[in-house]
Amino acid sequence: MVALLEWWSGTECTLYTDPASYPFYGKEDAIVVLNHNFEIDFLCGWTFCERFGVLGSSKVLAKKELAYVPVIGWMWYFLEIVFCKRKWEEDQKTVVQSLQRLKDYPENFWFLLYCEGTRFTQKKHKISMEVAERKGLPKLKYHLLPRTKGFCVTVQHLRGKVCVSSVVTAVYDSTLNFRNNQTPTLLGILNGKKYHADLYVRRIPLDSIPENESECAIWLHKLYQEKDELQEKYSVTGRFPGPTLSPPRRPWALLNWLFWICLLLFPLCLLLLQLFHSGSAFTICTTVLLCFAASLGVRWMIGQTEINRGSSYGNKEGQLNNNAQVSKVTNKDSRTTKTSAACTAGIKNNHEQFSTKQEGNTQLDQDTGSCSC
Ligand SMILES: CC/C=C\C/C=C\C/C=C\C/C=C\C/C=C\C/C=C\CCC(=O)SCCNC(=O)CCNC(=O)[C@H](O)C(C)(C)COP(=O)(O)OP(=O)(O)OC[C@H]1O[C@@H](n2cnc3c(N)ncnc32)[C@H](O)[C@@H]1OP(=O)(O)O
Ligand SMILES: CCCCCCCCCCCCCCCC(=O)OC[C@@H](O)COP(=O)(O)O
């Protein structure tokens, strides 16, 4: 699929990041936090994993339904992908167990979290902003309100321990957009349509993230408020701030694809030809039916990536009411209200530092131009 994106559709991927962070990518274990607005955002994620040599060890907190997708879901099961039902009471135990297993992972891995929990739609956005309002949190324009449990438990359990070989050292706050308001789809990729992805990545050392669960949740809300401001800048300027570093595509995905095509597709075509030449009406009908069923299966799999066929998670008024009840945990709410003001102040502060840094980087960009690494 990476080969399809990079070589078949020729989609370009530009990375905006601080050059000082660049050498860490692919060389450390990290938690990646990404916005969830596009049908192929997972594929762009994989492309960056491939370019930094961590495709085989890219992990994600994925919805359980994806484990049943033929081939891809089964493969994920064996790749130690962490699955959740998106009901914390049921997920807590299994998610913690899976995270504990990840700690022994022998290679550098990236663990992806779509903290919004579902893809952005206008309806889901409206409902989630009602939740934000009830919680006294600032409204977001480009994101859904993040679900905090998964992030906090991940930060807690993957945090460094001296005796464990694999420890996460950073969170990569990542924001993905497509140029010229493109809305890319997997079908578009299969039809060879070229897109241009822009990914902004900010490396945040894990040490700077609070360990305490409620403070960690506040930290995550603040992060999403910052991400929202960044998206606002992108929508105005059409680019992210700072220098661009575009890691070039590598030939491995293409070679891998060609190898499997030669090994599987050639004998498969020969087999099909033989079946059609067998002369038996039964054999021909069965072959046609099997091909038809296989193409329906592939279409269904592609459908899994389509937002308008997405789940109703985050879409239900009922869920909102339940959570309104949960939110009546009164002092928690008032604490959030107080902290949201602190958050907003914090953002301003952070952004001042951030802008200063970006100005420094822009200087660097002007000096050196875009560099390929
Ligand atoms: C250098 C390059 C860098 C980067 C490159 C980029 C990327 C590459 C990296 C890796 C690639 C790897 C793999 C990619 C491949 C494939 C990925 C494909 C698909 C996977 C995608 C998914 O399946 S996403 C869906 C599943 N995942 C998640 O949901 C994760 C996020 N969710 C959580 O973490 C949740 O906390 C949870 C699922 C663990 C539990 O959820 P639950 O809802 O039960 O609990 P929460 O407490 O978290 O949420 C309840 C609270 O939320 C409030 N709330 C907010 N909005 C709403 C709403 N709309 N309706 C109701 N409630 C809402 C609610 O009020 C609750 O608040 P309380 O205060 O009461 O707790
Ligand atoms: C040449 C044939 C190519 C065939 C390609 C088949 C491709 C099948 C890809 C299946 C991988 C599906 C990954 C979907 C990732 C995704 O984005 O999931 C959505 C969830 O986050 C949230 O779901 P939702 O709550 O519904 O928004």
Side-chain angles (χ1 to χ4, degrees):
M1 288 183 70
V2 171
L4 278 177
L5 182 89
E6 294 189 327
W7 296 91
W8 176 256
S9 84
T11 291
E12 282 180 47
C13 300
T14 303
L15 178 65
Y16 296 73
T17 195
D18 175 6
S21 303
Y22 196 91
F24 289 97
Y25 300 151
K27 306 283 186 311
E28 63 179 349
D29 297 334
I31 299 167
V32 178
V33 172
L34 187 63
N35 56 318
H36 207 5
N37 305 52
F38 302 102
E39 293 188 358
I40 59 158
D41 49 20
F42 72 98
L43 194 46
C44 292
W46 272 341
T47 300
F48 281 99
C49 290
E50 205 291 313
R51 293 183 190 195
F52 287 102
V54 289
L55 182 59
S57 48
S58 58
K59 312 291 165 202
V60 61
L61 178 54
K63 60 176 182 181
K64 184 81 185 156
E65 294 87 325
L66 292 174
Y68 308 114
V69 174
V71 190
I72 296 223
W74 307 335
M75 177 190 78
W76 282 356
Y77 181 82
F78 289 108
L79 280 175
E80 297 183 68
I81 297 297
V82 183
F83 290 103
C84 65
K85 293 183 178 164
R86 295 187 279 188
K87 290 183 193 121
W88 186 237
E89 317 78 60
E90 292 176 46
D91 288 332
Q92 188 165 17
K93 203 169 152 218
T94 47
V95 169
V96 168
Q97 276 170 356
S98 310
L99 290 172
Q100 289 296 348
R101 270 200 298 275
L102 260 189
K103 277 183 148 181
D104 292 338
Y105 203 77
E107 286 164 13
N108 291 321
F109 66 84
W110 287 355
F111 185 71
L112 173 64
L113 275 170
Y114 291 109
C115 296
E116 292 158 88
T118 186
R119 284 163 299 185
F120 188 100
T121 66
Q122 288 306 333
K123 188 172 177 197
K124 290 182 183 183
H125 180 244
K126 184 172 170 280
I127 293 176
S128 104
M129 285 310 104
E130 282 164 19
V131 177
E133 199 172 353
R134 282 169 195 272
K135 286 172 177 274
L137 289 163
K139 290 203 177 165
L140 304 172
K141 193 169 161 190
Y142 301 95
H143 297 87
L144 305 178
L145 192 68
R147 313 270 181 157
T148 58
K149 296 271 194 320
F151 178 78
C152 295
V153 87
T154 305
V155 165
Q156 255 169 29
H157 286 272
L158 296 184
R159 206 178 268 277
K161 292 256 171 17
V162 187
C163 54
V164 174
S165 58
S166 190
V167 289
V168 165
T169 35
V171 167
Y172 297 165
D173 162 28
S174 312
T175 309
L176 180 72
N177 261 325
F178 284 84
R179 297 244 170 117
N180 309 318
N181 293 320
Q182 287 172 322
T183 44
T185 62
L186 192 54
L187 274 180
I189 296 287
L190 291 171
N191 286 324
K193 190 156 188 260
K194 179 176 176 162
Y195 301 107
H196 195 134
D198 281 330
L199 181 75
Y200 176 88
V201 180
R202 180 168 55 138
R203 183 182 179 275
I204 304 169
L206 201 70
D207 298 343
S208 63
I209 301 171
E211 222 172 326
N212 170 286
E213 195 188 322
S214 56
E215 286 174 24
C216 183
I218 291 167
W219 186 93
L220 188 70
H221 282 302
K222 188 172 144 241
L223 183 81
Y224 269 78
Q225 289 153 31
E226 292 178 0
K227 285 169 88 64
D228 221 52
E229 291 196 359
L230 188 68
Q231 287 287 42
E232 180 66 33
K233 278 188 189 147
Y234 189 94
S235 76
V236 173
T237 61
R239 73 184 307 279
F240 288 120
T244 61
L245 296 143
S246 296
R249 61 181 181 186
R250 308 188 307 167
W252 310 122
L254 180 67
L255 291 176
N256 186 294
W257 191 68
L258 288 173
F259 171 77
W260 286 107
I261 289 284
C262 294
L263 196 74
L264 299 178
L265 218 52
F266 182 60
L268 190 71
C269 289
L270 280 184
L271 178 73
L272 284 178
L273 276 178
Q274 270 178 7
L275 289 174
F276 279 115
H277 281 118
S278 72
S280 147
F282 177 75
T283 312
I284 293 174
C285 287
T286 316
T287 310
V288 169
L289 267 179
L290 279 177
C291 290
F292 184 66
S295 56
L296 276 187
V298 171
R299 185 64 191 86
W300 177 83
M301 284 163 73
I302 294 169
Q304 294 301 302
T305 66
E306 292 172 355
I307 295 180
N308 59 11
R309 294 181 192 214
S311 73
S312 59
Y313 181 74
N315 220 0
K316 290 187 200 128
E317 301 296 336
Q319 217 174 347
L320 175 67
N321 294 338
N322 285 346
N323 284 303
Q325 278 173 14
V326 178
S327 307
K328 79 175 182 272
V329 184
T330 45
N331 60 355
K332 194 173 171 188
D333 252 4
S334 58
R335 187 184 57 213
T336 318
T337 317
K338 266 187 237 154
T339 46
S340 63
C343 278
T344 319
I347 292 176
K348 228 177 145 216
N349 209 358
N350 267 5
H351 264 271
E352 272 155 20
Q353 288 172 15
F354 180 70
S355 313
T356 323
K357 201 165 180 198
Q358 294 310 327
E359 274 159 26
N361 288 342
T362 312
Q363 184 59 43
L364 188 138
D365 196 23
Q366 281 161 0
D367 289 347
T368 58
S370 303
C371 48
S372 264
C373 301

